[in-house]
Amino acid sequence: MRVLAIGDIHGGLKALIQVLNKMEVKDEDTLIFMGDYVDGWSESAQVVQFLMELSKKINCVFIKGNHDVWCEEWLRDGEVNMTWYIHGGKETMESYTGFTKEEKKAHLTFFENLKMYHLDDKNRLFLHAGFTSMHGVEKEVFQTTLYFDRTLWEMALTMDKRIERDSELYPNRLKHYTEIFIGHTPTTNFKCDVPMHAVNIWNIDTGAAFKGKLTGIDVDTKEFWQSDNLPSLYPDEMGRNKF
């Protein structure tokens, strides 16, 4: 049985199908999705529908991303967060054209049931963005931090590699878990289109919302698979490359 983590999809259903096919997913595998299923390319509602169907056949863990929160609010009460609208919400709303009231209600339930984080039996932590509590993710005061924080990744990137784990200078945040897997901050921001590793953190958001690829990774072996660049899969669209 493999444990496979998949980065931020952002409405790119074609990329998701490519990655799943390349990974040759088996019935006994576990798929961990890192959040941000919507906002960007034109198939956000279709991604959610696909994932709901997939979870009936394969063991899936779905983590909540910040874009999922905005979509959940819109599905629940029609609230259109303007930041969301600008950064992919418009395309997500349009993707729901033709979906029935009952189907939208089912999608709302999907979003409501997303996990804030996942901790597996090997003490590996999976969450969308990061956390700030020195006592670990379970002690995070503000839950929104789990899908918005970038300081965890920034700290890992800039950390002096000479600091030993038993040093007083070693960040307590990193001591609680054997490994931490995140999305949220595209590796393409750092001119890298593959998963990045810093200290014990793996960032697998490889910029699918923009000009990058969608990535799936075997969390044990670190073998990874990628889709084509998203603009090539949606040549008539901008994704989130508007600014």
Side-chain angles (χ1 to χ4, degrees), residues 160-182:
D160 189 331
K161 294 179 175 59
R162 293 171 296 179
I163 300 175
E164 299 291 340
R165 188 179 177 89
D166 58 357
S167 167
E168 292 181 356
L169 298 177
Y170 195 95
N172 284 325
R173 274 194 280 179
L174 301 180
K175 293 180 180 179
H176 297 284
Y177 311 104
T178 54
E179 289 182 305
I180 301 171
F181 291 82
I182 63 170

PDB file of all heavy atoms in Angstrom, residues 160-182:
ATOM      1  N   ASP A 160      19.469  27.723   9.057  1.00  0.00           N
ATOM      2  CA  ASP A 160      20.879  27.348   8.973  1.00  0.00           C
ATOM      3  C   ASP A 160      20.997  25.834   9.134  1.00  0.00           C
ATOM      4  O   ASP A 160      20.633  25.268  10.172  1.00  0.00           O
ATOM      5  CB  ASP A 160      21.664  28.059  10.083  1.00  0.00           C
ATOM      6  CG  ASP A 160      23.178  27.896   9.937  1.00  0.00           C
ATOM      7  OD1 ASP A 160      23.606  26.872   9.380  1.00  0.00           O
ATOM      8  OD2 ASP A 160      23.917  28.788  10.380  1.00  0.00           O
ATOM      9  N   LYS A 161      21.490  25.173   8.113  1.00  0.00           N
ATOM     10  CA  LYS A 161      21.553  23.708   8.103  1.00  0.00           C
ATOM     11  C   LYS A 161      22.556  23.150   9.120  1.00  0.00           C
ATOM     12  O   LYS A 161      22.565  21.944   9.385  1.00  0.00           O
ATOM     13  CB  LYS A 161      21.896  23.213   6.700  1.00  0.00           C
ATOM     14  CG  LYS A 161      20.812  23.509   5.665  1.00  0.00           C
ATOM     15  CD  LYS A 161      21.219  23.025   4.289  1.00  0.00           C
ATOM     16  CE  LYS A 161      20.098  23.221   3.289  1.00  0.00           C
ATOM     17  NZ  LYS A 161      19.686  24.638   3.159  1.00  0.00           N
ATOM     18  N   ARG A 162      23.374  24.009   9.683  1.00  0.00           N
ATOM     19  CA  ARG A 162      24.351  23.542  10.673  1.00  0.00           C
ATOM     20  C   ARG A 162      23.725  23.343  12.058  1.00  0.00           C
ATOM     21  O   ARG A 162      24.350  22.734  12.935  1.00  0.00           O
ATOM     22  CB  ARG A 162      25.495  24.545  10.786  1.00  0.00           C
ATOM     23  CG  ARG A 162      26.354  24.646   9.518  1.00  0.00           C
ATOM     24  CD  ARG A 162      27.331  25.793   9.607  1.00  0.00           C
ATOM     25  NE  ARG A 162      26.632  27.080   9.685  1.00  0.00           N
ATOM     26  CZ  ARG A 162      27.253  28.262   9.792  1.00  0.00           C
ATOM     27  NH1 ARG A 162      28.574  28.309   9.845  1.00  0.00           N
ATOM     28  NH2 ARG A 162      26.543  29.378   9.859  1.00  0.00           N
ATOM     29  N   ILE A 163      22.492  23.823  12.245  1.00  0.00           N
ATOM     30  CA  ILE A 163      21.842  23.696  13.549  1.00  0.00           C
ATOM     31  C   ILE A 163      21.351  22.263  13.730  1.00  0.00           C
ATOM     32  O   ILE A 163      20.581  21.747  12.926  1.00  0.00           O
ATOM     33  CB  ILE A 163      20.658  24.676  13.676  1.00  0.00           C
ATOM     34  CG1 ILE A 163      21.144  26.114  13.515  1.00  0.00           C
ATOM     35  CG2 ILE A 163      19.953  24.499  15.022  1.00  0.00           C
ATOM     36  CD1 ILE A 163      20.022  27.150  13.508  1.00  0.00           C
ATOM     37  N   GLU A 164      21.813  21.609  14.786  1.00  0.00           N
ATOM     38  CA  GLU A 164      21.431  20.228  15.059  1.00  0.00           C
ATOM     39  C   GLU A 164      20.045  20.171  15.714  1.00  0.00           C
ATOM     40  O   GLU A 164      19.610  21.127  16.365  1.00  0.00           O
ATOM     41  CB  GLU A 164      22.452  19.568  15.988  1.00  0.00           C
ATOM     42  CG  GLU A 164      23.864  19.494  15.412  1.00  0.00           C
ATOM     43  CD  GLU A 164      23.974  18.520  14.250  1.00  0.00           C
ATOM     44  OE1 GLU A 164      23.092  17.648  14.136  1.00  0.00           O
ATOM     45  OE2 GLU A 164      24.938  18.633  13.465  1.00  0.00           O
ATOM     46  N   ARG A 165      19.388  19.036  15.557  1.00  0.00           N
ATOM     47  CA  ARG A 165      18.030  18.886  16.073  1.00  0.00           C
ATOM     48  C   ARG A 165      17.956  19.049  17.597  1.00  0.00           C
ATOM     49  O   ARG A 165      16.943  19.498  18.126  1.00  0.00           O
ATOM     50  CB  ARG A 165      17.459  17.522  15.663  1.00  0.00           C
ATOM     51  CG  ARG A 165      15.971  17.352  15.991  1.00  0.00           C
ATOM     52  CD  ARG A 165      15.462  15.995  15.529  1.00  0.00           C
ATOM     53  NE  ARG A 165      14.070  15.800  15.887  1.00  0.00           N
ATOM     54  CZ  ARG A 165      13.039  16.162  15.133  1.00  0.00           C
ATOM     55  NH1 ARG A 165      13.253  16.761  13.980  1.00  0.00           N
ATOM     56  NH2 ARG A 165      11.799  15.937  15.530  1.00  0.00           N
ATOM     57  N   ASP A 166      19.009  18.675  18.299  1.00  0.00           N
ATOM     58  CA  ASP A 166      18.989  18.784  19.752  1.00  0.00           C
ATOM     59  C   ASP A 166      19.478  20.146  20.260  1.00  0.00           C
ATOM     60  O   ASP A 166      19.601  20.365  21.464  1.00  0.00           O
ATOM     61  CB  ASP A 166      19.822  17.675  20.388  1.00  0.00           C
ATOM     62  CG  ASP A 166      21.282  17.692  19.918  1.00  0.00           C
ATOM     63  OD1 ASP A 166      21.625  18.535  19.061  1.00  0.00           O
ATOM     64  OD2 ASP A 166      22.062  16.856  20.413  1.00  0.00           O
ATOM     65  N   SER A 167      19.737  21.059  19.332  1.00  0.00           N
ATOM     66  CA  SER A 167      20.180  22.394  19.717  1.00  0.00           C
ATOM     67  C   SER A 167      19.010  23.222  20.239  1.00  0.00           C
ATOM     68  O   SER A 167      17.859  23.064  19.799  1.00  0.00           O
ATOM     69  CB  SER A 167      20.800  23.109  18.510  1.00  0.00           C
ATOM     70  OG  SER A 167      20.969  24.498  18.764  1.00  0.00           O
ATOM     71  N   GLU A 168      19.305  24.148  21.161  1.00  0.00           N
ATOM     72  CA  GLU A 168      18.270  25.060  21.654  1.00  0.00           C
ATOM     73  C   GLU A 168      17.779  25.988  20.550  1.00  0.00           C
ATOM     74  O   GLU A 168      16.697  26.575  20.654  1.00  0.00           O
ATOM     75  CB  GLU A 168      18.812  25.886  22.827  1.00  0.00           C
ATOM     76  CG  GLU A 168      19.088  25.064  24.081  1.00  0.00           C
ATOM     77  CD  GLU A 168      19.601  25.928  25.216  1.00  0.00           C
ATOM     78  OE1 GLU A 168      19.809  27.133  24.994  1.00  0.00           O
ATOM     79  OE2 GLU A 168      19.800  25.386  26.322  1.00  0.00           O
ATOM     80  N   LEU A 169      18.563  26.148  19.511  1.00  0.00           N
ATOM     81  CA  LEU A 169      18.203  27.028  18.404  1.00  0.00           C
ATOM     82  C   LEU A 169      17.296  26.342  17.374  1.00  0.00           C
ATOM     83  O   LEU A 169      16.719  27.015  16.523  1.00  0.00           O
ATOM     84  CB  LEU A 169      19.467  27.533  17.702  1.00  0.00           C
ATOM     85  CG  LEU A 169      20.412  28.380  18.546  1.00  0.00           C
ATOM     86  CD1 LEU A 169      21.646  28.752  17.731  1.00  0.00           C
ATOM     87  CD2 LEU A 169      19.709  29.638  19.047  1.00  0.00           C
ATOM     88  N   TYR A 170      17.192  25.013  17.454  1.00  0.00           N
ATOM     89  CA  TYR A 170      16.363  24.274  16.491  1.00  0.00           C
ATOM     90  C   TYR A 170      14.890  24.582  16.776  1.00  0.00           C
ATOM     91  O   TYR A 170      14.427  24.473  17.915  1.00  0.00           O
ATOM     92  CB  TYR A 170      16.621  22.779  16.618  1.00  0.00           C
ATOM     93  CG  TYR A 170      16.110  21.957  15.456  1.00  0.00           C
ATOM     94  CD1 TYR A 170      16.953  21.611  14.408  1.00  0.00           C
ATOM     95  CD2 TYR A 170      14.797  21.510  15.417  1.00  0.00           C
ATOM     96  CE1 TYR A 170      16.503  20.833  13.357  1.00  0.00           C
ATOM     97  CE2 TYR A 170      14.333  20.743  14.356  1.00  0.00           C
ATOM     98  CZ  TYR A 170      15.199  20.402  13.324  1.00  0.00           C
ATOM     99  OH  TYR A 170      14.737  19.649  12.279  1.00  0.00           O
ATOM    100  N   PRO A 171      14.122  25.002  15.759  1.00  0.00           N
ATOM    101  CA  PRO A 171      12.727  25.409  15.981  1.00  0.00           C
ATOM    102  C   PRO A 171      11.864  24.292  16.573  1.00  0.00           C
ATOM    103  O   PRO A 171      11.832  23.173  16.040  1.00  0.00           O
ATOM    104  CB  PRO A 171      12.239  25.773  14.574  1.00  0.00           C
ATOM    105  CG  PRO A 171      13.481  26.052  13.795  1.00  0.00           C
ATOM    106  CD  PRO A 171      14.519  25.138  14.349  1.00  0.00           C
ATOM    107  N   ASN A 172      11.190  24.603  17.664  1.00  0.00           N
ATOM    108  CA  ASN A 172      10.324  23.607  18.301  1.00  0.00           C
ATOM    109  C   ASN A 172       9.214  23.139  17.375  1.00  0.00           C
ATOM    110  O   ASN A 172       8.757  22.006  17.465  1.00  0.00           O
ATOM    111  CB  ASN A 172       9.727  24.175  19.589  1.00  0.00           C
ATOM    112  CG  ASN A 172      10.733  24.204  20.724  1.00  0.00           C
ATOM    113  OD1 ASN A 172      11.561  23.316  20.833  1.00  0.00           O
ATOM    114  ND2 ASN A 172      10.673  25.233  21.547  1.00  0.00           N
ATOM    115  N   ARG A 173       8.760  24.015  16.495  1.00  0.00           N
ATOM    116  CA  ARG A 173       7.695  23.646  15.561  1.00  0.00           C
ATOM    117  C   ARG A 173       8.052  22.402  14.752  1.00  0.00           C
ATOM    118  O   ARG A 173       7.181  21.605  14.402  1.00  0.00           O
ATOM    119  CB  ARG A 173       7.403  24.798  14.592  1.00  0.00           C
ATOM    120  CG  ARG A 173       6.429  25.815  15.100  1.00  0.00           C
ATOM    121  CD  ARG A 173       5.947  26.717  13.985  1.00  0.00           C
ATOM    122  NE  ARG A 173       6.872  27.778  13.652  1.00  0.00           N
ATOM    123  CZ  ARG A 173       6.667  28.685  12.680  1.00  0.00           C
ATOM    124  NH1 ARG A 173       5.564  28.625  11.957  1.00  0.00           N
ATOM    125  NH2 ARG A 173       7.544  29.621  12.442  1.00  0.00           N
ATOM    126  N   LEU A 174       9.324  22.256  14.442  1.00  0.00           N
ATOM    127  CA  LEU A 174       9.750  21.166  13.559  1.00  0.00           C
ATOM    128  C   LEU A 174      10.050  19.872  14.301  1.00  0.00           C
ATOM    129  O   LEU A 174      10.250  18.838  13.672  1.00  0.00           O
ATOM    130  CB  LEU A 174      10.990  21.604  12.769  1.00  0.00           C
ATOM    131  CG  LEU A 174      10.830  22.851  11.894  1.00  0.00           C
ATOM    132  CD1 LEU A 174      12.133  23.158  11.177  1.00  0.00           C
ATOM    133  CD2 LEU A 174       9.698  22.679  10.895  1.00  0.00           C
ATOM    134  N   LYS A 175      10.092  19.922  15.616  1.00  0.00           N
ATOM    135  CA  LYS A 175      10.477  18.749  16.396  1.00  0.00           C
ATOM    136  C   LYS A 175       9.335  17.752  16.611  1.00  0.00           C
ATOM    137  O   LYS A 175       9.573  16.606  16.960  1.00  0.00           O
ATOM    138  CB  LYS A 175      11.013  19.178  17.765  1.00  0.00           C
ATOM    139  CG  LYS A 175      12.327  19.935  17.710  1.00  0.00           C
ATOM    140  CD  LYS A 175      12.778  20.316  19.120  1.00  0.00           C
ATOM    141  CE  LYS A 175      14.096  21.068  19.088  1.00  0.00           C
ATOM    142  NZ  LYS A 175      14.534  21.471  20.452  1.00  0.00           N
ATOM    143  N   HIS A 176       8.106  18.186  16.396  1.00  0.00           N
ATOM    144  CA  HIS A 176       6.956  17.363  16.762  1.00  0.00           C
ATOM    145  C   HIS A 176       6.662  16.245  15.759  1.00  0.00           C
ATOM    146  O   HIS A 176       6.009  15.266  16.105  1.00  0.00           O
ATOM    147  CB  HIS A 176       5.707  18.236  16.907  1.00  0.00           C
ATOM    148  CG  HIS A 176       5.817  19.256  18.008  1.00  0.00           C
ATOM    149  ND1 HIS A 176       5.701  18.931  19.341  1.00  0.00           N
ATOM    150  CD2 HIS A 176       6.042  20.584  17.966  1.00  0.00           C
ATOM    151  CE1 HIS A 176       5.845  20.018  20.070  1.00  0.00           C
ATOM    152  NE2 HIS A 176       6.052  21.041  19.260  1.00  0.00           N
ATOM    153  N   TYR A 177       7.120  16.411  14.513  1.00  0.00           N
ATOM    154  CA  TYR A 177       6.704  15.497  13.455  1.00  0.00           C
ATOM    155  C   TYR A 177       7.915  14.988  12.682  1.00  0.00           C
ATOM    156  O   TYR A 177       8.890  15.710  12.469  1.00  0.00           O
ATOM    157  CB  TYR A 177       5.727  16.193  12.501  1.00  0.00           C
ATOM    158  CG  TYR A 177       4.631  16.899  13.255  1.00  0.00           C
ATOM    159  CD1 TYR A 177       4.635  18.285  13.396  1.00  0.00           C
ATOM    160  CD2 TYR A 177       3.619  16.182  13.892  1.00  0.00           C
ATOM    161  CE1 TYR A 177       3.644  18.937  14.120  1.00  0.00           C
ATOM    162  CE2 TYR A 177       2.633  16.822  14.625  1.00  0.00           C
ATOM    163  CZ  TYR A 177       2.656  18.194  14.734  1.00  0.00           C
ATOM    164  OH  TYR A 177       1.684  18.834  15.469  1.00  0.00           O
ATOM    165  N   THR A 178       7.848  13.740  12.245  1.00  0.00           N
ATOM    166  CA  THR A 178       8.955  13.190  11.472  1.00  0.00           C
ATOM    167  C   THR A 178       9.104  13.928  10.147  1.00  0.00           C
ATOM    168  O   THR A 178      10.214  14.263   9.728  1.00  0.00           O
ATOM    169  CB  THR A 178       8.746  11.691  11.207  1.00  0.00           C
ATOM    170  OG1 THR A 178       7.459  11.490  10.602  1.00  0.00           O
ATOM    171  CG2 THR A 178       8.814  10.900  12.499  1.00  0.00           C
ATOM    172  N   GLU A 179       7.972  14.177   9.496  1.00  0.00           N
ATOM    173  CA  GLU A 179       7.961  14.952   8.253  1.00  0.00           C
ATOM    174  C   GLU A 179       6.674  15.766   8.197  1.00  0.00           C
ATOM    175  O   GLU A 179       5.659  15.397   8.790  1.00  0.00           O
ATOM    176  CB  GLU A 179       8.043  14.048   7.023  1.00  0.00           C
ATOM    177  CG  GLU A 179       9.390  13.389   6.811  1.00  0.00           C
ATOM    178  CD  GLU A 179       9.398  12.548   5.541  1.00  0.00           C
ATOM    179  OE1 GLU A 179       8.537  11.663   5.411  1.00  0.00           O
ATOM    180  OE2 GLU A 179      10.280  12.777   4.691  1.00  0.00           O
ATOM    181  N   ILE A 180       6.724  16.867   7.453  1.00  0.00           N
ATOM    182  CA  ILE A 180       5.563  17.726   7.265  1.00  0.00           C
ATOM    183  C   ILE A 180       5.393  17.952   5.766  1.00  0.00           C
ATOM    184  O   ILE A 180       6.354  18.318   5.074  1.00  0.00           O
ATOM    185  CB  ILE A 180       5.738  19.081   7.984  1.00  0.00           C
ATOM    186  CG1 ILE A 180       5.963  18.866   9.487  1.00  0.00           C
ATOM    187  CG2 ILE A 180       4.516  19.975   7.751  1.00  0.00           C
ATOM    188  CD1 ILE A 180       6.365  20.139  10.232  1.00  0.00           C
ATOM    189  N   PHE A 181       4.186  17.725   5.282  1.00  0.00           N
ATOM    190  CA  PHE A 181       3.881  17.934   3.869  1.00  0.00           C
ATOM    191  C   PHE A 181       2.883  19.088   3.746  1.00  0.00           C
ATOM    192  O   PHE A 181       1.863  19.096   4.439  1.00  0.00           O
ATOM    193  CB  PHE A 181       3.291  16.663   3.241  1.00  0.00           C
ATOM    194  CG  PHE A 181       4.288  15.542   3.128  1.00  0.00           C
ATOM    195  CD1 PHE A 181       4.563  14.717   4.219  1.00  0.00           C
ATOM    196  CD2 PHE A 181       4.966  15.312   1.938  1.00  0.00           C
ATOM    197  CE1 PHE A 181       5.486  13.690   4.127  1.00  0.00           C
ATOM    198  CE2 PHE A 181       5.883  14.281   1.835  1.00  0.00           C
ATOM    199  CZ  PHE A 181       6.152  13.472   2.931  1.00  0.00           C
ATOM    200  N   ILE A 182       3.191  20.042   2.874  1.00  0.00           N
ATOM    201  CA  ILE A 182       2.347  21.227   2.709  1.00  0.00           C
ATOM    202  C   ILE A 182       2.122  21.535   1.229  1.00  0.00           C
ATOM    203  O   ILE A 182       2.784  20.985   0.349  1.00  0.00           O
ATOM    204  CB  ILE A 182       2.975  22.468   3.379  1.00  0.00           C
ATOM    205  CG1 ILE A 182       4.316  22.820   2.704  1.00  0.00           C
ATOM    206  CG2 ILE A 182       3.153  22.260   4.880  1.00  0.00           C
ATOM    207  CD1 ILE A 182       4.881  24.166   3.126  1.00  0.00           C
TER     208      ILE A 182
END
